[in-house]
């Protein structure tokens, strides 16, 4: 929210105090927008602001330069108060070429600042982006505060002393732009300078050129005195004391898996096959061999899942990850893990489908796949992380349940969570509860499907333990001996037992709580996964208007908390916002017979606060 000061009232050296801002960098995939955004994010975190980011990648690996297919964007929302989302609409949009302008202009708020590299708006560039006329000249941008700058030429001038090629020199223009935005929001450049020196340690002239470009952009902002180029100041947020860092969902999830494995005193084998947006988990885990982590890049998704099951059979924690299409390929192996009852954590970083769909766009459309998507009666545990930082706790919980109940556990994130960053208070992992595994060692009365009376989990015997030789496989087992059995009554009993084992987990998870509002009333807005930020803020806004609305967010998708049905029945209406066509809504209706209604979005983009707020008011009849 902006103060009452207007830009016209400001002196050239004054800075306008604002509570928050949303900035989006957009350009060609070769323009370094993700790097630019990540450096601005770090500088903003060091300035003490709360923040949330949304990197938006192109799906094409080598899209033709200057086309709309190759546009890459990075949005950051930062402020002096709690930030729940990456922001509905940018206050400032930096467009490095016509294609970036065309793809992103619709999101810029009316009256927002539009900084464009006018040097890239030549006839050929305009044609590739699908423009018949130059939007900088035809009046179509009159609703915005347009700042046309020949960033390309300004960058070339700022680095000419370093003897770079034209191509190398133009690659510095993202740093020139970053320097300008650093000045606008009063950011310190030192850490970015140190980063550049480290990154280009073998080419110090490139480091110095990029630093010079950044400093030139900063100096331009300081001296230009142009309409639209204003200085702002965002006060530090009031954040609880502690040691913080920015973290993405993929990083937090990877570290949570490691912490979870240490809590149960197991080594971890992470077997995966690269797929967007799940690959970052493999990248994060690969250097962590010192923490008992073995990473294995398999030849395909099926091999990855089977290798993880083999690791669990051998006495380690098997983990595999993918996105929706890869999870589909893993499903027969997941059924094997259910049948042999071995712990397995399956991470699904959801993306838009079906098939390969929109590989770099976010969605929540794999809930059915996770809860129901296997042949036979094959129940598993399903968890969903609500934010980047929440991925750590969810991963620890996934490991705990997988090992305690000897079962596969699905952990759902999505493309938004995986790539988004936010401040994270680094936990003291030494304080995490310990649940060390107890392998079966006694020979007396052993067979592989002996069960714990409380959990119904079968015993875990490591191959090679004297006297505990056994084999397991995909065929049905005898309840009393573990041998292959085709007996009808035995199959009924084993099917019921596998079901009951999973259902008992409902007694081992926390009761469902209400995030905002009363535990009964006019409406409950029920969310899961990455909708947490926009739902929480939308409910907060609606409640401020006097409406009786509550927010319930579900982490344990299956089995659900035991009190959830009674809790939902305490509301006259239940609204379920989700980035699919109504999957959780269907599950809630089926399980609890509540008249849940859906608020659905499948555009590949996260919900905006305003969209959910509008949906709430519509269903309230307000």
């Amino acid at each position: 929210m902006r103060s009452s000061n207007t830009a016209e009232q400001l002196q050239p050296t004054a800075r306008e105090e604002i509570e928050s801002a949303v900035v989006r960098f957009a350009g060609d995939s070769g323009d370094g927008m993700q790097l630019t955004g990540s450096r601005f994010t770090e500088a903003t975190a060091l300035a003490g602001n709360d923040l949330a980011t949304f990197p938006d990648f192109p799906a094409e690996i080598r899209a033709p330069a200057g086309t709309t297919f190759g546009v890459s964007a990075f949005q950051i929302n930062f402020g002096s108060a709690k930030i729940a989302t990456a922001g509905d609409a940018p206050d400032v949009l930096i467009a490095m070429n016509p294609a970036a302008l065309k793809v992103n202009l619709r999101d810029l708020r009316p009256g927002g600042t539009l900084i464009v590299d006018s040097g890239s708006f030549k006839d050929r560039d305009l044609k590739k982006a699908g423009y018949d006329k130059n939007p900088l000249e035809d009046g179509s941008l009159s609703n915005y505060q347009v700042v046309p700058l020949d960033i390309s030429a300004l960058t070339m001038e700022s680095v000419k002393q370093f003897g770079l090629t034209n191509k190398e020199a133009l690659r510095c223009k993202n740093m020139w732009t970053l320097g300008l935005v650093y000045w606008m929001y009063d950011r310190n450049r030192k850490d970015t300078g140190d980063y550049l020196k480290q990154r280009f340690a073998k080419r110090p002239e490139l480091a110095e050129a990029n630093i010079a470009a950044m400093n030139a952009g900063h100096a331009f902002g300081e001296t230009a005195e142009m309409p639209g180029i204003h200085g702002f100041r965002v006060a530090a947020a009031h954040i609880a004391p502690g040691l913080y860092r920015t973290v993405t969902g993929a990083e937090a999830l990877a570290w949570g898996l490691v912490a979870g494995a240490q809590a149960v005193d197991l080594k971890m084998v992470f077997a995966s096959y690269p797929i967007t947006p799940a690959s970052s988990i493999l990248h994060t885990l690969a250097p962590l061999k010192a923490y008992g982590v073995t990473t294995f890049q398999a030849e395909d998704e099926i091999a990855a899942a089977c290798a993880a099951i083999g690791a669990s059979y051998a006495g380690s924690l098997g983990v595999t990850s993918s996105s929706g299409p890869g999870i589909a390929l893993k499903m027969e192996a997941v059924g094997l893990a259910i049948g042999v009852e071995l712990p397995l954590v399956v991470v699904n970083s959801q993306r838009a489908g079906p098939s390969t769909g929109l590989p770099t766009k976010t969605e929540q459309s794999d809930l059915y796949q996770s809860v129901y998507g296997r042949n036979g009666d094959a129940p598993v545990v399903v968890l969903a992380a609500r934010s980047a930082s929440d991925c750590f706790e969810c991963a620890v919980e996934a490991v705990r349940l997988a090992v305690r109940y000897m079962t596969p556990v699905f952990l759902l994130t999505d493309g938004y969570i995986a790539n988004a960053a936010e401040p994270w208070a680094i936990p003291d992992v030494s304080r995490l509860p310990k649940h060390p595994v107890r392998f079966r060692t006694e020979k007396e009365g052993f067979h592989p499907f002996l069960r714990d009376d409380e959990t119904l989990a079968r015993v875990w015997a490591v191959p090679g333990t004297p006297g505990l030789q056994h084999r397991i496989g995909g065929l049905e087992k005898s309840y009393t001996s573990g041998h292959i059995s085709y007996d009808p009554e035995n199959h009924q009993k084993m099917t019921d037992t596998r079901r009951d084992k999973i259902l008992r987990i409902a007694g081992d998870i926390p009761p469902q709580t209400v995030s905002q509002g009363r535990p009964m009333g006019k409406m409950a807005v029920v969310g899961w996964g990455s909708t947490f930020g926009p739902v929480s803020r939308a409910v907060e806004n609606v409640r401020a208007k006097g409406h009786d609305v509550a927010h319930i967010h579900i982490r344990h998708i299956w089995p659900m908390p035991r009190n959830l049905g009674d809790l939902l029945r305490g509301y006259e209406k239940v609204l379920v916002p989700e980035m699919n066509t109504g999957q959780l809504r269907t599950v809630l209706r089926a399980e609890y017979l509540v008249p849940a209604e859906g608020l659905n979005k499948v555009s590949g983009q996260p919900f905006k606060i305003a969209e959910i707020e509008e949906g709430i008011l519509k269903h309230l009849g307000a």
Side-chain angles (χ1 to χ4, degrees):
M1 182 178 293
R2 299 183 179 278
S3 70
S4 59
N5 295 334
T6 63
E8 289 76 9
Q9 294 171 324
L10 295 173
Q11 298 299 317
T13 57
R15 287 190 173 275
E16 182 182 358
E17 296 283 348
I18 58 175
E19 183 180 293
S20 64
V22 180
V23 177
R24 181 182 297 181
F25 301 91
D28 196 77
S29 56
D31 285 337
M33 294 296 95
Q34 302 305 319
L35 173 63
T36 305
S38 65
R39 298 319 306 170
F40 188 80
T41 298
E42 181 162 319
T44 297
L46 290 171
N49 296 135
D50 197 11
L51 62 91
T53 70
F54 177 42
D56 194 7
F57 304 96
E60 302 293 332
I61 297 174
R62 293 294 181 197
T67 64
T68 56
F69 303 107
V71 172
S72 177
F74 188 105
Q75 182 165 307
I76 176 171
N77 182 12
F78 57 99
S80 57
K82 177 63 179 175
I83 298 296
T85 75
D88 277 14
D91 299 303
V92 177
L93 170 63
I94 297 96
M96 304 297 282
N97 62 18
L101 177 65
K102 186 154 197 167
V103 171
N104 292 278
L105 182 64
R106 63 177 177 265
D107 293 329
L108 183 62
R109 68 169 179 83
T113 300
L114 174 60
I115 301 172
V116 296
D117 179 9
S118 58
S120 67
F121 276 66
K122 297 182 172 58
D123 289 343
R124 185 169 177 268
D125 303 308
L126 294 166
K127 185 176 181 181
K128 282 198 290 185
Y131 280 112
D132 296 324
K133 298 178 181 179
N134 189 338
L136 302 181
E137 300 171 351
D138 65 4
S140 60
L141 304 178
S142 59
N143 288 335
Y144 311 101
Q145 193 164 210
V146 183
V147 184
L149 302 172
D150 193 340
I151 297 175
S152 299
L154 290 166
T155 301
M156 296 285 283
E157 178 66 23
S158 68
V159 302
K160 65 180 181 181
Q161 62 178 305
F162 298 100
L164 306 183
T165 65
N166 283 349
K167 185 176 182 180
E168 290 174 332
L170 281 173
R171 282 181 174 172
C172 298
K173 68 179 184 178
N174 64 325
M175 288 296 109
W176 192 99
T177 306
L178 181 61
L180 173 62
V181 181
Y182 273 175
W183 177 84
M184 291 176 64
Y185 292 101
D186 199 21
R187 296 288 174 254
N188 193 307
R189 290 162 282 161
K190 182 181 182 303
D191 285 279
T192 298
D194 293 342
Y195 164 82
L196 291 168
K197 290 176 182 177
Q198 182 179 9
R199 178 172 182 176
F200 297 113
K202 295 182 179 179
R203 293 283 308 273
E205 74 279 11
L206 290 181
E208 293 304 323
N210 276 280
I211 292 171
M214 178 177 63
N215 291 337
H218 191 277
F220 183 91
E222 193 170 17
T223 59
E225 299 184 22
M226 294 176 61
I229 303 295
H230 306 310
F232 302 101
R233 179 171 288 111
V234 183
H238 297 288
I239 299 174
L243 182 61
Y244 287 80
R245 61 158 292 154
T246 56
V247 68
T248 66
E251 291 170 335
L253 195 151
W255 298 333
L257 290 171
V258 177
Q262 291 188 346
V264 297
D265 197 21
L266 289 177
K267 294 182 178 180
M268 182 174 76
V269 176
F270 184 85
S272 185
Y273 181 77
I275 183 172
T276 301
S279 302
S280 298
I281 303 172
L282 177 60
H283 300 163
T284 305
L285 288 171
L288 302 183
K289 295 179 177 63
Y291 296 92
V293 178
T294 298
T295 51
F296 170 52
Q297 181 176 315
E299 65 268 29
D300 57 44
E301 299 280 9
I302 301 171
C306 291
I309 295 170
S312 289
Y313 178 59
S316 295
L317 173 66
V319 183
T320 190
S321 78
S322 190
S323 188
I327 297 295
L329 292 171
K330 294 179 190 292
M331 278 304 190
E332 184 180 357
V334 173
L336 173 63
I338 293 168
V340 299
E341 299 186 53
L342 281 169
L344 176 70
V345 176
V346 184
V347 179
N348 183 352
S349 299
Q350 300 167 94
R351 70 189 204 188
S355 187
T356 46
L358 304 175
T360 61
K361 307 304 178 185
T362 194
E363 207 162 273
Q364 292 181 296
S365 51
D366 295 344
L367 187 146
Y368 285 162
Q369 181 190 49
S370 302
V371 176
Y372 304 122
R374 290 158 297 282
N375 63 297
D377 283 295
V380 295
V381 181
V382 183
L383 307 177
R386 72 185 192 182
S387 66
S389 58
D390 188 52
C391 285
F392 182 87
E393 293 183 14
C394 280
V396 173
E397 173 74 344
V399 173
R400 181 185 78 87
L401 294 176
V403 171
R404 177 168 167 77
Y405 291 89
M406 296 291 283
T407 180
V409 174
F410 278 80
L411 175 50
L412 301 180
T413 70
D414 56 45
Y416 174 43
I417 290 178
N419 296 316
E422 63 184 24
W424 180 51
I426 300 174
D428 182 354
V429 293
S430 67
R431 294 179 177 271
L432 290 176
K434 304 295 183 183
H435 313 280
V437 169
R438 287 186 290 180
F439 293 109
R440 173 79 179 200
T441 57
E442 301 172 21
K443 293 188 293 184
E444 187 68 29
F446 169 75
H447 71 78
F449 285 86
L450 288 172
R451 298 186 182 276
D452 181 273
D453 291 336
E454 178 185 356
T455 65
L456 295 181
R458 78 169 183 89
V459 296
W460 194 357
V462 176
T465 303
L468 302 187
Q469 295 88 346
H470 66 283
R471 64 178 182 177
I472 54 177
L475 295 174
E476 185 62 281
K477 320 297 182 304
S478 167
Y479 187 90
T480 55
S481 70
H483 299 317
I484 293 172
S485 173
Y486 291 93
D487 180 74
E489 289 77 13
N490 177 78
H491 179 56
Q492 179 78 52
K493 187 169 186 177
M494 287 294 279
T495 300
D496 291 346
T497 301
R498 287 188 291 263
R499 177 202 61 202
D500 293 344
K501 179 179 71 170
I502 300 302
L503 293 179
R504 284 193 183 192
I505 295 174
D508 194 15
I509 60 178
Q512 183 63 52
T513 58
V514 179
S515 300
Q516 291 184 67
R518 302 187 299 139
M520 61 181 64
K522 184 73 174 178
M523 174 185 284
V525 183
V526 181
W528 67 280
S530 65
T531 62
F532 179 83
V535 170
S536 64
R537 186 53 55 85
V539 169
E540 183 180 316
N541 293 346
V542 171
R543 286 177 55 79
K545 298 175 182 177
H547 295 288
D548 183 13
V549 178
H551 174 201
I552 297 171
H553 215 78
I554 303 175
R555 170 185 283 183
H556 294 85
I557 303 295
W558 196 265
M560 291 179 168
R562 285 182 173 172
N563 68 324
L564 181 60
D566 290 337
L567 185 61
L568 294 179
R569 293 185 192 101
Y571 297 94
E572 295 178 29
K573 296 185 177 184
V574 175
L575 181 65
V576 186
E578 48 186 333
M579 292 184 290
N580 56 48
T581 57
Q583 297 186 19
L584 179 63
R585 176 196 64 194
T586 301
V587 174
L588 294 177
R589 285 179 170 181
E591 292 299 309
Y592 305 122
L593 300 179
V594 293
E597 297 295 330
L599 178 61
N600 307 107
K601 179 176 181 177
V602 283
S603 66
Q605 298 292 316
F607 269 110
K608 295 180 178 180
I609 299 169
E611 292 171 333
I612 297 179
E613 189 172 340
E614 180 182 351
I616 294 172
L617 294 174
K618 178 181 178 181
H619 281 81
L620 284 173

